[in-house]
Amino acid sequence: MNYQSTRDRSAKVSAAGAIVQGISHEGGLFVPETLPVFTPEELQSLVGLSYNEKARAVLSRFLTDFTSDEIAHCVDGAYNTRSFDTPGISAISKVGDNRYLLELWHGPTCAFKDMALQLLPYLMKVSMDKAAPGTEVVVLVATSGDTGKAALAGFAGVPGTRMLVFYPEDGVSRMQKLQMVTQEGENVSVCAIKGNFDDAQTGVKAIFTDPAIEEELRRNGQTFSSANSINWGRLVPQIVYYVAAYTSLIEQEEIAFGDTVNVCVPTGNFGNILAAYYAKKMGVPIGKLICASNRNNVLTDFIRTGVYDRNRGFYTTTSPSMDILISSNLERLLFHLAGEDDALIRRWFAQLAETGRYAVTPEVKEKLQAEFVGGFCDDQAAEETIHRLFAAYGYLCDPHTAVAVKVHEEYVRETGDDTRTIIASTASPYKFCGSVLPAVTDIPVPEDPFAQMELLRQVSGMAAPASLMGLREKAVRFTGSIEKGQMAEKVREMLR
Ligand SMILES: *Cc1c(COP(=O)(O)O)cnc(C)c1O
């Protein structure tokens, strides 16, 4: 199976090629030419299998140029109890009637990004050997906080790779920053920029498509790639956990085979919810895909009106990983919904670059609304939701997850659709102590992040992740920040 670019269908590559390249030369994203489908019998045969077995079944459908041994090697290297604190890799907590929180934060950096970024370095290594043997891969990352650390943790010490992570100086939580600036590993570095996440992402995309830098790399025997969710190798591991969650609910006798479930996802770059869409297209009985946003609600408006308009205020919220106005992966969805019309996608995304706005056709809007529902909530409603879940169920969730819980509650209230729902829980509450503590205690929040974790432990009784507590012992390796216009220079510096 080959992959094609959303902006030029004639640009075709293998799965390995898509993973090495990250993004197509003309700026489009790679998508599978045809979507693989599980028959009901094939889906049912996954019930009772381990996470790794389910992962192999899904990945082998998409990575057809990988051997089954290669896939098994990648999967077992990534998903094991050395890196994840639960043997199931992800976990499901039933919190109230018909509501299942799919905890995707049991990996080394305590956010759902680990689900993909523990696997990506393995996929990258195998792909390099196939598509670009002997070259060194230079991975550039733009992060709103969680991707950066997860990518660093995945790639640190991986031979044949170098990584540079850009993050918005004032756009990440204290814990997220601490996680990044203390990262060890000769081949990885971190750089703060004076700007927001969109500036970082736009800057990285510009560097990727800069012919002069590309030429410099070629001379050095290097090639660029991406660990952001524009890379297909980031998305495909995320499809796995929706397939795994559905079959786990059958194992736990919460649903019968064939029952429909809704999925609600706290959304930023649209990668996680797009993976749920792909799982649905593969045959998992998913009903509505509920897209939850914070106050940066560009996606809510888009789903409701068919008009994407990023000309609006940018807010820094308590769910920083969703503080995004340009959701890259929407491009993949629109390509599918628009009947793979690459010319139309080129036009819309040229309009987005020029005017910050595009309007989809009535047909595309109708298809969008048949699958997706959008909703948003502000910081205060998220805090109130954390408080309420803790008071009612003793369950502690982070602010991103709280946004999804709240949006789902509103959806049920407005529509009466009480279909059982999987809600993606995307981060450990310990990553965001500063916002979680005020929701669950009146004790003033201490300044020191480790004192915050200790207080949260006392108040909640939930154990603090060892990987976060261990940061206290680590030295800070990266300080200072640069203007957003200096990003290309920073990359050149690293290459030298
Ligand atoms: C990245 C992230 C999100 C947003 O996921 P997308 O795939 O970008 O939509 C939500 N919550 C947390 C905690 C994240 O780290």
Side-chain angles (χ1 to χ4, degrees):
M1 181 174 65
N2 278 323
Y3 289 74
Q4 55 188 348
S5 165
T6 50
R7 298 191 194 179
D8 179 4
R9 290 186 62 184
S10 70
K12 291 198 199 305
V13 291
S14 63
I19 291 169
V20 169
Q21 234 178 287
I23 187 168
S24 188
H25 290 297
E26 76 302 320
L29 306 186
F30 291 116
V31 295
E33 260 182 329
T34 49
L35 284 180
V37 174
F38 283 129
T39 63
E41 294 72 31
E42 286 168 335
L43 189 59
Q44 193 150 25
S45 74
L46 301 180
V47 176
L49 300 189
S50 68
Y51 190 87
N52 291 26
E53 289 168 319
K54 292 173 187 177
R56 273 179 245 156
V58 174
L59 295 175
S60 62
R61 296 304 183 93
F62 286 100
L63 310 177
T64 52
D65 48 340
F66 284 47
T67 66
S68 53
D69 280 353
E70 284 167 342
I71 290 177
H73 163 78
C74 293
V75 165
D76 295 341
Y79 304 126
N80 53 63
T81 48
R82 273 170 286 133
S83 306
F84 288 79
D85 68 10
T86 172
I89 306 303
S90 58
I92 297 176
S93 287
K94 186 173 184 184
V95 183
D97 291 338
N98 297 340
R99 183 166 65 184
Y100 303 90
L101 292 193
L102 174 59
E103 296 172 357
L104 301 169
W105 38 262
H106 290 279
T109 77
C110 308
F112 91 94
K113 305 293 197 294
D114 287 327
M115 301 300 292
L117 281 162
Q118 283 295 301
L119 185 65
L120 183 65
Y122 289 94
L123 299 180
M124 188 73 81
K125 192 89 192 57
V126 173
S127 300
M128 291 293 294
D129 290 345
K130 288 180 190 297
T135 33
E136 181 181 56
V137 63
V138 178
V139 185
L140 299 186
V141 178
T143 185
S144 54
D146 291 328
T147 298
K149 178 60 186 186
L152 292 162
F155 279 88
V158 175
T161 69
R162 278 198 218 193
M163 171 170 281
L164 178 56
V165 171
F166 292 102
Y167 72 93
E169 186 172 30
D170 299 319
V172 302
S173 82
R174 281 189 66 172
M175 184 53 74
Q176 288 175 319
K177 180 168 177 174
L178 201 57
Q179 280 185 303
M180 288 190 281
V181 297
T182 55
Q183 177 64 44
E184 292 159 356
E186 277 307 302
N187 63 328
V188 298
S189 44
V190 176
C191 179
I193 66 154
K194 299 187 205 310
N196 61 33
F197 170 72
D198 290 315
D199 297 324
Q201 176 159 262
T202 305
V204 163
K205 274 195 187 168
I207 297 168
F208 275 140
T209 45
D210 180 333
I213 301 184
E214 209 182 320
E215 179 50 35
E216 215 170 299
L217 260 89
R218 219 192 328 271
R219 279 202 306 271
N220 294 346
Q222 295 168 319
T223 180
F224 271 140
S225 191
S226 166
N228 280 102
S229 54
I230 53 175
N231 193 319
W232 180 254
R234 264 289 297 280
L235 265 182
V236 68
Q238 299 185 213
I239 302 170
V240 172
Y241 52 72
Y242 290 108
V243 175
Y246 184 81
T247 47
S248 291
L249 286 176
I250 298 169
E251 289 155 20
Q252 296 169 16
E253 299 183 353
E254 294 292 342
I255 58 171
F257 186 79
D259 285 353
T260 296
V261 297
N262 289 341
V263 172
C264 179
V265 183
T267 300
N269 226 350
F270 210 77
N272 200 358
I273 195 165
L274 183 69
Y277 170 82
Y278 282 129
K280 178 176 180 176
K281 295 293 138 183
M282 281 190 86
V284 178
I286 293 172
K288 284 289 180 199
L289 294 155
I290 303 163
C291 176
S293 300
N294 63 25
R295 206 173 154 209
N296 295 296
N297 58 356
V298 62
L299 286 169
T300 312
D301 289 346
F302 176 64
I303 293 167
R304 290 180 183 170
T305 64
V307 176
Y308 196 97
D309 191 351
R310 64 152 302 190
N311 302 304
R312 57 179 73 211
F314 176 88
Y315 302 106
T316 301
T317 73
T318 55
S319 42
S321 298
M322 299 156 70
D323 291 344
I324 292 175
L325 291 180
I326 305 175
S327 296
S328 293
N329 275 296
L330 193 59
E331 179 165 346
R332 287 189 163 107
L333 176 70
L334 294 178
F335 180 76
H336 296 303
L337 296 183
E340 309 199 337
D341 185 342
D342 52 358
L344 200 53
I345 299 297
R346 275 202 302 279
R347 190 154 72 236
W348 289 340
F349 284 84
Q351 284 171 6
L352 181 67
E354 279 156 31
T355 68
R357 183 182 183 280
Y358 60 86
V360 299
T361 59
E363 301 79 63
V364 168
K365 179 178 154 187
E366 197 178 309
K367 284 191 198 164
L368 177 73
Q369 291 177 343
E371 309 257 15
F372 289 86
V373 180
F376 73 100
C377 84
D378 64 14
D379 284 356
Q380 198 189 332
E383 182 176 323
E384 182 272 331
T385 303
I386 296 171
H387 172 82
R388 208 157 26 78
L389 280 198
F390 186 64
Y393 307 98
Y395 187 84
L396 197 60
C397 76
D398 95 291
H400 302 77
T401 307
V403 167
V405 168
K406 177 69 181 174
V407 167
H408 173 250
E409 285 173 351
E410 288 289 306
Y411 167 76
V412 174
R413 206 173 48 79
E414 279 164 23
T415 62
D417 177 5
D418 62 355
T419 304
R420 275 162 291 197
T421 300
I422 294 171
I423 298 180
S425 175
T426 49
S428 161
Y430 276 96
K431 264 195 118 157
F432 301 96
C433 290
S435 319
V436 172
L437 276 168
V440 293
T441 177
D442 292 330
I443 301 171
V445 179
E447 258 298 299
D448 175 57
F450 300 99
Q452 292 178 358
M453 282 202 273
E454 178 52 27
L455 179 58
L456 190 57
R457 194 187 63 73
Q458 283 167 14
V459 170
S460 70
M462 177 185 179
S467 61
L468 298 184
M469 290 303 287
L471 293 175
R472 197 205 298 253
E473 274 38 90
K474 301 248 154 114
V476 171
R477 285 183 65 204
F478 305 98
T479 53
S481 62
I482 62 168
E483 299 294 334
K484 57 190 182 196
Q486 296 175 308
M487 287 171 62
E489 191 42 43
K490 187 80 190 171
V491 171
R492 286 207 170 84
E493 215 173 89
M494 177 190 66
L495 298 178
R496 264 179 235 130

Short mmCIF file of all heavy atoms in Angstrom, two decimals, residues 27 49 76 86-87 99 101 110 114 117 120 141 186 193 197 207 238-239 252-253 261-262 282 351 361 371 413 478 488:
data_model
loop_
_atom_site.label_atom_id
_atom_site.label_comp_id
_atom_site.label_asym_id
_atom_site.label_seq_id
_atom_site.Cartn_x
_atom_site.Cartn_y
_atom_site.Cartn_z
N GLY A 27 4.36 20.45 0.73
CA GLY A 27 3.72 20.88 1.98
C GLY A 27 2.50 20.06 2.37
O GLY A 27 1.92 20.28 3.42
N LEU A 49 -6.76 -10.46 23.06
CA LEU A 49 -5.33 -10.37 22.77
C LEU A 49 -4.67 -9.26 23.62
O LEU A 49 -5.33 -8.38 24.15
CB LEU A 49 -5.10 -10.07 21.29
CG LEU A 49 -5.63 -11.08 20.27
CD1 LEU A 49 -5.13 -10.73 18.87
CD2 LEU A 49 -5.21 -12.51 20.63
N ASP A 76 7.36 -4.43 20.37
CA ASP A 76 7.82 -4.92 21.66
C ASP A 76 8.90 -4.01 22.26
O ASP A 76 9.02 -3.91 23.48
CB ASP A 76 8.33 -6.37 21.54
CG ASP A 76 7.19 -7.32 21.18
OD1 ASP A 76 6.02 -6.95 21.39
OD2 ASP A 76 7.47 -8.43 20.68
N THR A 86 1.69 0.32 33.37
CA THR A 86 0.59 -0.64 33.44
C THR A 86 0.77 -1.69 32.34
O THR A 86 1.13 -1.33 31.20
CB THR A 86 -0.79 0.05 33.32
OG1 THR A 86 -1.80 -0.95 33.22
CG2 THR A 86 -0.88 0.96 32.11
N PRO A 87 0.57 -2.97 32.66
CA PRO A 87 0.80 -4.02 31.67
C PRO A 87 -0.12 -3.89 30.45
O PRO A 87 0.23 -4.34 29.36
CB PRO A 87 0.53 -5.33 32.43
CG PRO A 87 -0.07 -4.94 33.74
CD PRO A 87 0.20 -3.50 33.98
N ARG A 99 -19.64 5.99 30.70
CA ARG A 99 -18.52 6.89 30.41
C ARG A 99 -17.21 6.20 30.79
O ARG A 99 -17.02 5.82 31.95
CB ARG A 99 -18.71 8.18 31.21
CG ARG A 99 -17.66 9.23 30.96
CD ARG A 99 -18.08 10.58 31.49
NE ARG A 99 -18.18 10.58 32.95
CZ ARG A 99 -18.60 11.61 33.67
NH1 ARG A 99 -18.96 12.73 33.07
NH2 ARG A 99 -18.67 11.54 34.98
N LEU A 101 -13.07 6.50 30.69
CA LEU A 101 -11.91 7.34 30.43
C LEU A 101 -10.75 6.44 30.00
O LEU A 101 -10.33 5.56 30.75
CB LEU A 101 -11.54 8.15 31.67
CG LEU A 101 -12.56 9.23 32.06
CD1 LEU A 101 -12.00 10.19 33.08
CD2 LEU A 101 -13.05 10.02 30.85
N CYS A 110 4.20 10.76 30.81
CA CYS A 110 2.90 11.00 31.46
C CYS A 110 1.90 11.76 30.59
O CYS A 110 0.99 12.41 31.11
CB CYS A 110 3.07 11.73 32.79
SG CYS A 110 4.25 10.92 33.87
N ASP A 114 3.27 9.70 24.38
CA ASP A 114 4.13 8.52 24.51
C ASP A 114 3.59 7.33 23.71
O ASP A 114 4.37 6.49 23.26
CB ASP A 114 4.24 8.09 25.97
CG ASP A 114 5.10 9.03 26.80
OD1 ASP A 114 6.06 9.60 26.26
OD2 ASP A 114 4.79 9.19 28.01
N LEU A 117 5.07 8.20 20.43
CA LEU A 117 6.48 8.59 20.36
C LEU A 117 7.43 7.59 20.99
O LEU A 117 8.64 7.68 20.80
CB LEU A 117 6.67 9.99 20.93
CG LEU A 117 6.25 11.06 19.90
CD1 LEU A 117 6.02 12.40 20.58
CD2 LEU A 117 7.28 11.19 18.80
N LEU A 120 7.62 5.60 17.50
CA LEU A 120 8.14 6.26 16.30
C LEU A 120 9.65 6.06 16.06
O LEU A 120 10.05 5.81 14.92
CB LEU A 120 7.78 7.76 16.31
CG LEU A 120 8.22 8.53 15.06
CD1 LEU A 120 7.50 8.03 13.81
CD2 LEU A 120 7.98 10.03 15.22
N VAL A 141 11.04 19.36 15.80
CA VAL A 141 9.75 19.26 16.48
C VAL A 141 9.30 20.64 16.94
O VAL A 141 10.09 21.41 17.48
CB VAL A 141 9.87 18.34 17.74
CG1 VAL A 141 8.55 18.27 18.49
CG2 VAL A 141 10.34 16.95 17.35
N GLU A 186 23.12 13.14 24.00
CA GLU A 186 23.99 13.97 23.15
C GLU A 186 23.30 14.41 21.86
O GLU A 186 23.60 15.45 21.31
CB GLU A 186 25.26 13.19 22.80
CG GLU A 186 26.33 13.23 23.87
CD GLU A 186 26.65 14.66 24.28
OE1 GLU A 186 27.04 15.44 23.38
OE2 GLU A 186 26.51 15.00 25.48
N ILE A 193 11.27 29.60 22.04
CA ILE A 193 11.12 30.74 21.13
C ILE A 193 10.16 31.76 21.73
O ILE A 193 9.26 31.42 22.50
CB ILE A 193 10.62 30.33 19.72
CG1 ILE A 193 9.20 29.77 19.78
CG2 ILE A 193 11.54 29.34 19.06
CD1 ILE A 193 8.46 29.95 18.47
N PHE A 197 2.66 28.47 19.99
CA PHE A 197 2.87 27.18 19.32
C PHE A 197 2.74 27.31 17.81
O PHE A 197 3.51 26.70 17.06
CB PHE A 197 1.88 26.13 19.82
CG PHE A 197 1.92 24.88 18.98
CD1 PHE A 197 2.99 24.00 19.05
CD2 PHE A 197 0.89 24.59 18.09
CE1 PHE A 197 3.05 22.87 18.24
CE2 PHE A 197 0.94 23.45 17.28
CZ PHE A 197 2.01 22.60 17.36
N ILE A 207 11.13 25.64 7.56
CA ILE A 207 12.49 25.10 7.47
C ILE A 207 12.49 23.79 6.67
O ILE A 207 13.36 23.57 5.82
CB ILE A 207 13.09 24.87 8.89
CG1 ILE A 207 13.21 26.21 9.62
CG2 ILE A 207 14.43 24.16 8.81
CD1 ILE A 207 13.53 26.09 11.10
N GLN A 238 -1.62 5.69 16.99
CA GLN A 238 -2.78 6.17 17.73
C GLN A 238 -4.07 5.46 17.33
O GLN A 238 -5.00 5.39 18.10
CB GLN A 238 -2.91 7.69 17.55
CG GLN A 238 -1.70 8.43 18.09
CD GLN A 238 -1.83 9.94 18.04
OE1 GLN A 238 -0.87 10.64 17.85
NE2 GLN A 238 -3.02 10.44 18.19
N ILE A 239 -4.09 4.94 16.10
CA ILE A 239 -5.27 4.17 15.68
C ILE A 239 -5.38 2.92 16.56
O ILE A 239 -6.47 2.49 16.92
CB ILE A 239 -5.16 3.79 14.19
CG1 ILE A 239 -5.02 5.05 13.33
CG2 ILE A 239 -6.36 2.95 13.74
CD1 ILE A 239 -4.67 4.77 11.87
N GLN A 252 -14.10 -6.63 29.04
CA GLN A 252 -14.58 -6.27 30.38
C GLN A 252 -16.10 -6.39 30.50
O GLN A 252 -16.68 -6.00 31.51
CB GLN A 252 -14.13 -4.84 30.72
CG GLN A 252 -12.62 -4.71 30.81
CD GLN A 252 -12.12 -3.27 30.88
OE1 GLN A 252 -12.89 -2.35 31.15
NE2 GLN A 252 -10.84 -3.07 30.63
N GLU A 253 -16.74 -6.88 29.43
CA GLU A 253 -18.19 -7.10 29.40
C GLU A 253 -18.97 -5.81 29.63
O GLU A 253 -20.08 -5.82 30.18
CB GLU A 253 -18.60 -8.21 30.37
CG GLU A 253 -17.93 -9.52 29.99
CD GLU A 253 -18.34 -10.70 30.86
OE1 GLU A 253 -19.05 -10.49 31.86
OE2 GLU A 253 -17.93 -11.83 30.51
N VAL A 261 -20.09 2.75 20.02
CA VAL A 261 -19.64 3.66 21.08
C VAL A 261 -19.33 5.02 20.44
O VAL A 261 -18.95 5.09 19.27
CB VAL A 261 -18.36 3.16 21.80
CG1 VAL A 261 -18.61 1.84 22.52
CG2 VAL A 261 -17.19 3.02 20.83
N ASN A 262 -19.53 6.08 21.19
CA ASN A 262 -19.05 7.39 20.76
C ASN A 262 -17.64 7.59 21.30
O ASN A 262 -17.23 6.93 22.26
CB ASN A 262 -19.95 8.50 21.28
CG ASN A 262 -21.30 8.52 20.57
OD1 ASN A 262 -21.45 7.96 19.48
ND2 ASN A 262 -22.29 9.17 21.17
N MET A 282 -11.87 1.86 9.65
CA MET A 282 -11.35 0.49 9.59
C MET A 282 -12.38 -0.54 10.02
O MET A 282 -12.12 -1.74 9.95
CB MET A 282 -10.15 0.34 10.53
CG MET A 282 -8.87 0.88 10.00
SD MET A 282 -7.52 0.36 11.11
CE MET A 282 -7.12 -1.25 10.42
N GLN A 351 -5.43 29.54 0.74
CA GLN A 351 -6.27 30.60 1.33
C GLN A 351 -5.96 30.76 2.82
O GLN A 351 -5.88 31.87 3.33
CB GLN A 351 -7.75 30.27 1.17
CG GLN A 351 -8.28 30.53 -0.24
CD GLN A 351 -9.70 29.98 -0.42
OE1 GLN A 351 -10.33 29.50 0.53
NE2 GLN A 351 -10.19 30.04 -1.64
N THR A 361 -16.97 23.28 0.96
CA THR A 361 -18.20 23.20 0.17
C THR A 361 -19.35 22.66 1.04
O THR A 361 -19.10 21.99 2.04
CB THR A 361 -18.02 22.24 -1.02
OG1 THR A 361 -17.68 20.95 -0.48
CG2 THR A 361 -16.92 22.71 -1.95
N GLU A 371 -20.27 13.01 10.88
CA GLU A 371 -19.34 12.22 11.70
C GLU A 371 -18.94 12.93 12.99
O GLU A 371 -18.72 12.29 14.00
CB GLU A 371 -18.03 11.97 10.91
CG GLU A 371 -18.24 11.42 9.52
CD GLU A 371 -17.94 9.93 9.44
OE1 GLU A 371 -17.86 9.29 10.50
OE2 GLU A 371 -17.80 9.44 8.32
N ARG A 413 -26.42 16.38 27.35
CA ARG A 413 -27.53 17.21 27.81
C ARG A 413 -28.33 17.79 26.63
O ARG A 413 -29.55 17.79 26.62
CB ARG A 413 -26.99 18.35 28.69
CG ARG A 413 -27.98 18.88 29.71
CD ARG A 413 -27.31 19.88 30.66
NE ARG A 413 -26.52 20.89 29.97
CZ ARG A 413 -27.03 21.96 29.37
NH1 ARG A 413 -28.31 22.18 29.38
NH2 ARG A 413 -26.22 22.82 28.76
N PHE A 478 19.32 23.27 29.14
CA PHE A 478 18.98 24.24 28.10
C PHE A 478 18.33 25.48 28.71
O PHE A 478 17.35 25.37 29.43
CB PHE A 478 18.04 23.61 27.08
CG PHE A 478 18.58 22.33 26.50
CD1 PHE A 478 18.18 21.10 27.00
CD2 PHE A 478 19.51 22.37 25.47
CE1 PHE A 478 18.70 19.92 26.48
CE2 PHE A 478 20.04 21.20 24.95
CZ PHE A 478 19.63 19.97 25.45
N ALA A 488 15.66 29.13 11.85
CA ALA A 488 16.46 28.48 10.80
C ALA A 488 17.94 28.52 11.16
O ALA A 488 18.68 27.54 10.96
CB ALA A 488 16.22 29.15 9.46
#
